[in-house]
Amino acid sequence: MVFSNSLFDASILGTAATSLVPANHILRPLELTDFRKGYVECLSNLTVVGDISEQMFAESFEEMQRAGGYFVIVIEDQESGRIVASGTLVVEQKFIRMCGRVGHIEDIVVAKGQQGKRFGFTIIKQLRELAHATGCYKSILDCSEENAPFYEKCGLEVKGLQMAVYSPDAPSKKVAKANI
């Protein structure tokens, strides 16, 4: 059962990033009703999302609410009622660093036709504020080499090397695209 229409309490959002949002737009937590405001379509500008039903969206939303530590933010164009940008902070509790926390910045996306409005920069700034507000000693973001210059402009620096392994049972991008 959903506790609230918002994924998390908006009162923890800082004002430094929200002041960067242009008129007729609002930066806020993801809401359950954002499924109907084009959130999934916006997210599909980043990667393969698949055929997500409203029920699947609601179930994942509830699971994130129950678990805590998920901070998905969106920018909504209030004139069109559509989601035009989004990003996620996942807070990981650690044993190292005196049981510290690490923020994982994920899924930064700006809808097609909305680039050049500094929405990506604003999303990153807000997620960095959220990481600080939730006690993260550092934040990590994985990206392609081609996107690294953008994230450096947002105050992040190249650090280390990313590695990955994919589950053999998960559908490949090729198969997932064929099913859409």
Side-chain angles (χ1 to χ4, degrees):
M1 172 176 279
V2 173
F3 305 116
S4 164
N5 186 48
S6 290
L7 187 59
F8 62 93
D9 184 356
S11 68
I12 67 169
L13 293 174
T15 58
T18 55
S19 66
L20 299 174
V21 179
N24 301 317
H25 291 76
I26 184 170
L27 186 151
R28 58 170 176 75
L30 179 70
E31 295 178 351
L32 190 57
T33 54
D34 288 338
F35 180 85
R36 294 185 182 176
K37 293 181 178 182
Y39 173 71
V40 174
E41 290 91 336
C42 182
L43 204 53
S44 71
N45 288 293
L46 177 65
T47 190
V48 175
V49 177
D51 188 18
I52 297 177
S53 69
E54 192 166 0
Q55 180 180 347
M56 291 168 65
F57 180 84
E59 288 170 359
S60 289
F61 186 96
E62 288 179 26
E63 191 173 322
M64 289 177 177
Q65 267 190 334
R66 274 194 307 276
Y70 288 91
F71 301 90
V72 181
I73 59 172
V74 297
I75 296 177
E76 178 184 351
D77 178 334
Q78 293 184 298
E79 287 182 9
S80 69
R82 304 296 288 173
I83 302 303
V84 296
S86 181
T88 301
L89 173 73
V90 179
V91 177
E92 176 188 8
Q93 184 65 53
K94 308 287 275 184
F95 288 109
I96 62 172
R97 303 276 179 148
M98 296 183 60
C99 294
R101 294 178 176 171
V102 171
H104 296 269
I105 296 174
E106 300 278 345
D107 304 337
I108 306 304
V109 62
V110 176
K112 287 182 179 153
Q114 299 295 319
Q115 292 84 4
K117 298 180 181 180
R118 299 185 49 87
F119 289 150
F121 177 84
T122 302
I123 291 285
I124 293 292
K125 185 169 182 62
Q126 181 60 75
L127 293 175
R128 289 181 62 198
E129 286 183 36
L130 277 169
H132 180 75
T134 57
C136 295
Y137 68 88
K138 75 174 177 180
S139 294
I140 301 169
L141 178 143
D142 291 329
C143 69
S144 64
E145 285 185 44
E146 65 191 30
N147 289 334
F150 167 73
Y151 291 115
E152 288 175 323
K153 289 178 186 175
C154 294
L156 286 87
E157 62 183 78
V158 176
K159 203 77 165 164
L161 174 69
Q162 175 202 34
M163 300 187 67
V165 63
Y166 290 88
S167 172
D169 298 333
S172 71
K173 287 184 181 183
K174 189 179 206 180
V175 172
K177 283 184 180 180
N179 292 333
I180 293 176

